[in-house]
Amino acid sequence: MDLADIEKIVEKQRIYFNTNVTKDVSFRLNQLKKLKTALIENEQLLHDAVKKDFKKSAFESFANEVFLVYEEIDIAVKNVKWWAKRKRVKTNLINFPAKSYRLPEPLGTTLVIGAWNYPYVTSLPPVISAIAAGNTVILKPSELANNASKAMYQIISEVFDQKYLAVVEGAVPETTTLLEQKFDKIFFTGSVPVGKIVYEAASKHLTPVTLELGGKNPTFITESCDLKRAVQRMIWAKYLNSGQICVAPDYVLVHHSIKDKFIEAAKKEIEASQFSFENGNYVQIITEKHTDRLSKLIDPEKVVHGGEFNISERYIAPTIMQDVSFDDPIMLDEIFGPILPVISYDNLDEVISKIKSRPKPLAIYVFTKDKQVKQKLLSEISSGTGAVNEALMQITNPNLPFGGVGSSGMSSYHGKFGFDAFTHYKSILDKPNWMETNLKYFPHTPRKLKLIKQMFRIS
Ligand code: NAD
């Protein structure tokens, strides 16, 4: 797209928003239904696109992407009438008689920037929330999942007018131009470094942001856990999408007394999972550059499983590394790939303080049957989300807001929380005319002051 066109689309959207058409709840409902119909009609196109991008299977594409998008639309369709209603709150004595309420209003012209790892799930749910809340939207999907980006462009531009919902495809130049425009909300999913660029650009216009970023998610395998279950759930969550998931367990902290058993069980679980491109249980790393980065994190001396890679095939074998320390290169940044560093610990307090000295993670996972250990870890370590005796599945419950804290992000979404991310709640005091106390009016007299004090029982 011509960069000059970007400015025009934003301007068209601003004009359209100001007509108030998008605020009407039945309009919003129709658009949501229209979007769902278009996605259903083109579902095969969506699956084929991610297959081309990184050999993602139709099962993966449906179960962990398209299904969640449909669910998000269904929740919005079912609830938007209620969400868009004003919310009554109590009125205090000073203002009696009056009504007080919070009036949800759309923020206006909004921008959604998606990531590549789950190109549909990081792009479309925020768009759905923006529509439900009555905004206009520009979606900028990630250029790295190029076919998925094209598919979303094709589907959306066939059904929607750009003045309401537009897809702008592109990479850094297009995103930079978009970020120069004045938006009323920017919703970004991606890495911490780009999150900082987005935040800085947004600050120039005082535009509110939601930043869905990443981080290193610690996973505790404590001595009291149900090891079989823990390994089964953890391995699934680590190697799904070849580890390219923001909430994947990044590394494991395993109590030294069960370390060997854990590693043996983890190896068996990897074998049983049959990860391969051929059967669709494994996906490619998104680019050769990303594969190369990951391959350099593998320390052959520490590998106890896997370790093989092929840059041109964009393949990294499901890998486990043992005897890793917090100072190893693999522990410096988010891995975002199928390499699992295992750190064994003796003293829980020591590892907790290590984690607390680092950026706040997006998720924490605790495998334990010990209630006190669970309580300790959940209360001491700050993270965006988490799960106990489970990993990753917390993000599939739309009643749990999904988002980071500190450097893993700000604000949250999914279901009603997504609606809120694109809504301003205007606080209104609504006064009838049938009664007036004259205490506040001039002239202010000692008698009025005495009455006020009596009213509030202030002697
Ligand atoms: P990324 O930050 O490289 O890219 C995200 C988006 O920003 C893309 O649309 C890209 O085109 C754009 N972009 C890239 N460089 C830019 C620049 N210099 N200026 C302006 N825009 C730019 O992230 P990614 O590689 O697509 O995704 C991986 C990262 O995203 C990981 O850190 C992962 O944890 C995170 N992530 C977070 C979530 C979440 O919900 N919290 C979900 C998925 C991925």
Side-chain angles (χ1 to χ4, degrees), residues 174-191:
E174 289 78 7
T175 320
T176 306
T177 306
L178 278 165
L179 289 172
E180 282 162 4
Q181 313 305 310
K182 183 183 176 341
F183 284 98
D184 300 299
K185 168 87 192 187
I186 299 175
F187 190 109
F188 171 80
T189 302
S191 61

Side-chain angles (χ1 to χ4, degrees), residues 113-117 122 140-144 170-172 175-176 179 188-192 194-195 197-198 212-215 245-246 290 334 336 362 402 408 413:
I113 303 175
W116 52 263
N117 61 329
T122 61
K140 209 300 288 176
S142 170
E143 71 285 11
L144 296 187
V172 175
T175 320
T176 306
L179 289 172
F188 171 80
T189 302
S191 61
V192 173
V194 182
I197 294 173
V198 171
E212 296 287 344
L213 310 177
I245 305 185
C246 56
H290 286 71
E334 180 186 18
F336 220 61
L362 185 57
F402 174 53
S408 57
Y413 74 130

Side-chain angles (χ1 to χ4, degrees), residues 116-165:
W116 52 263
N117 61 329
Y118 279 94
Y120 307 133
V121 148
T122 61
S123 300
L124 297 172
V127 168
I128 292 159
S129 298
I131 293 176
N135 301 274
T136 65
V137 203
I138 294 178
L139 166 64
K140 209 300 288 176
S142 170
E143 71 285 11
L144 296 187
N146 186 29
N147 293 292
S149 170
K150 282 197 168 58
M152 286 186 276
Y153 173 82
Q154 188 180 319
I155 296 168
I156 288 175
S157 54
E158 256 171 34
V159 187
F160 292 95
D161 195 309
Q162 278 190 332
K163 66 184 180 191
Y164 172 59
L165 168 55

Side-chain angles (χ1 to χ4, degrees), residues 399-459:
N399 302 311
L400 285 173
F402 174 53
V405 59
S407 63
S408 57
M410 62 180 69
S411 176
S412 58
Y413 74 130
H414 286 183
K416 167 73 160 53
F417 306 99
F419 177 90
D420 288 346
F422 286 90
T423 295
H424 166 63
Y425 286 88
K426 190 155 62 184
S427 295
I428 299 294
L429 180 73
D430 190 338
K431 243 356 220 178
N433 291 319
W434 56 266
M435 185 186 138
E436 186 58 293
T437 53
N438 67 356
L439 290 179
K440 74 179 178 194
Y441 295 110
F442 297 107
H444 290 164
T445 63
R447 191 179 150 270
K448 282 183 183 173
L449 186 61
K450 196 173 159 200
L451 275 171
I452 290 171
K453 285 189 171 178
Q454 276 173 354
M455 226 169 120
F456 291 95
R457 299 198 176 98
I458 298 164
S459 51

